[in-house]
Amino acid sequence: MSRTAQDDSLNGQVVVVTGSSSGIGAAIARRGAQLGATVVVNSSRSVEAGEALAAELHGASYCQADVGSEEGRERLIRYTLEEHGRLDHLVNNAARTQVIPHAELERLTTEVWRDIFELNLFATYQMTLLALPHLRRSGRGSVLNITSLAGIRQLGSSIPYAVSKAALNHLTQLLAKQVGPEVRVNAVAPGLIETPWTADWTAQHEAISRSAPLRRTGRPEDVAHAAVALLTNGYTTGAVLLVDGGVGLTA
Ligand SMILES: NC(=O)c1ccc[n+]([C@@H]2O[C@H](COP(=O)([O-])OP(=O)(O)OC[C@H]3O[C@@H](n4cnc5c(N)ncnc54)[C@H](OP(=O)(O)O)[C@@H]3O)[C@@H](O)[C@H]2O)c1
């Protein structure tokens, strides 16, 4: 089945959002469900919050799984197929960082690089690989990677985090060339967004509210809006869509 730009609902489609018990992932799960998707909410630790969100969303369900582990990734895919019978979209949202000032180069041990790359890049790639056969069968399958402005401009919570997101932006485009026409691969690159992850980054929030072209930091809903546009637009692949209020223009 081929899609046209007119199909802007997610009716009958199953969407897995990794790391969706809070923040950006939760907003994407909410927006997806509003557009008719059957959403699989996922987290590794916050089971109560994940279950509560799934209970709130029509047709949604929750699967606890650490997507940083092979066992967790396999469980999430198996659960989705057993529970919902298909998989149409994979949103790779779960990620981690360590906050390390960029000047403190000697703190970037191989362990730090591995810790961040393990989840943000290696696990995301393996998760995508596991999902691919099912996405191909969907007829309108897509992968959406949540990356970061830090993967485009020279900023972010640490150098390894920024490099992991830059790698994911490039991987998005390299994969898009390989898996069409059955599957599309896109990315949303958020700027600073108000989530639990950045709740105590007061100075950065204030600076952006003063200097960014749109004079505010982002909300999870801003990212979710862009995310569903990429899930539903059948003629976009390899896109990296910045949702940063113009922060990248001033960085
Ligand atoms: N907030 C920002 O300013 C911003 C900016 C640019 C990009 N981003 C990106 O946006 C994404 C979401 O960030 P956020 O700010 O929404 O973070 P958040 O509010 O801290 O949410 C992170 C979510 O991921 C889950 N998670 C973490 N590790 C996991 C794992 N191994 N397996 C499964 N789930 C896992 C968390 O639940 P558990 O801890 O219970 O597992 C939680 O549901 C990340 O990719 C981040 O890099 C955020």
Side-chain angles (χ1 to χ4, degrees):
M1 183 189 337
S2 70
R3 305 201 67 231
T4 69
Q6 284 74 43
D7 291 329
D8 58 0
S9 93
L10 288 165
N11 278 335
Q13 297 176 50
V14 175
V15 181
V16 170
V17 186
T18 70
S20 45
S21 65
S22 94
I24 290 168
I28 295 172
R30 277 206 172 84
R31 187 78 191 116
Q34 280 167 6
L35 292 178
T38 298
V39 177
V40 176
V41 176
N42 156 258
S43 65
S44 66
R45 293 166 300 182
S46 49
V47 175
E48 235 173 77
E51 284 178 344
L53 178 61
E56 209 185 284
L57 306 180
H58 181 75
S61 61
Y62 170 76
C63 177
Q64 185 280 329
D66 175 357
V67 298
S69 79
E70 191 178 347
E71 184 275 328
R73 293 188 290 272
E74 284 172 353
R75 188 142 45 80
L76 182 54
I77 297 289
R78 198 169 51 244
Y79 169 87
T80 301
L81 296 172
E82 284 173 8
E83 195 70 15
H84 303 294
R86 56 185 298 130
L87 172 56
D88 299 286
H89 304 281
L90 170 65
V91 180
N92 286 313
N93 172 72
R96 62 176 278 102
T97 193
Q98 296 189 36
V99 179
I100 302 173
H102 288 205
E104 296 179 19
L105 299 179
E106 64 291 339
R107 285 180 61 190
L108 306 184
T109 60
T110 302
E111 286 66 38
V112 172
W113 283 95
R114 284 211 177 105
D115 174 55
I116 293 171
F117 269 59
E118 195 62 51
L119 182 60
N120 297 8
L121 190 64
F122 307 155
T124 298
Y125 179 74
Q126 294 302 331
M127 189 71 215
T128 303
L129 212 55
L130 270 185
L132 255 183
H134 312 290
L135 299 175
R136 286 190 204 280
R137 262 198 292 283
S138 151
R140 53 199 161 187
S142 84
V143 176
L144 181 68
N145 294 320
I146 306 304
T147 65
S148 176
L149 173 64
I152 298 171
R153 302 306 301 265
Q154 291 64 45
L155 38 76
S157 47
S158 66
I159 288 178
Y161 173 79
V163 177
S164 76
K165 294 294 189 172
L168 197 50
N169 282 334
H170 202 47
L171 179 66
T172 297
Q173 298 181 326
L174 290 164
L175 283 179
K177 278 180 77 177
Q178 299 306 317
V179 302
E182 296 91 352
V183 179
R184 299 175 298 105
V185 188
N186 293 296
V188 173
L192 188 63
I193 309 296
E194 294 158 17
T195 71
W197 180 313
T198 66
D200 57 359
W201 298 9
T202 311
Q204 289 92 327
H205 283 280
E206 284 174 2
I208 283 169
S209 301
R210 275 195 309 274
S211 64
L214 298 188
R215 297 289 190 278
R216 66 171 177 86
T217 45
R219 301 177 191 118
E221 296 72 28
D222 296 318
V223 182
H225 193 265
V228 298
L230 291 172
L231 294 184
T232 56
N233 188 319
Y235 199 56
T236 301
T237 196
V240 178
L241 179 55
L242 257 181
V243 180
D244 71 340
V247 172
L249 300 172
T250 59

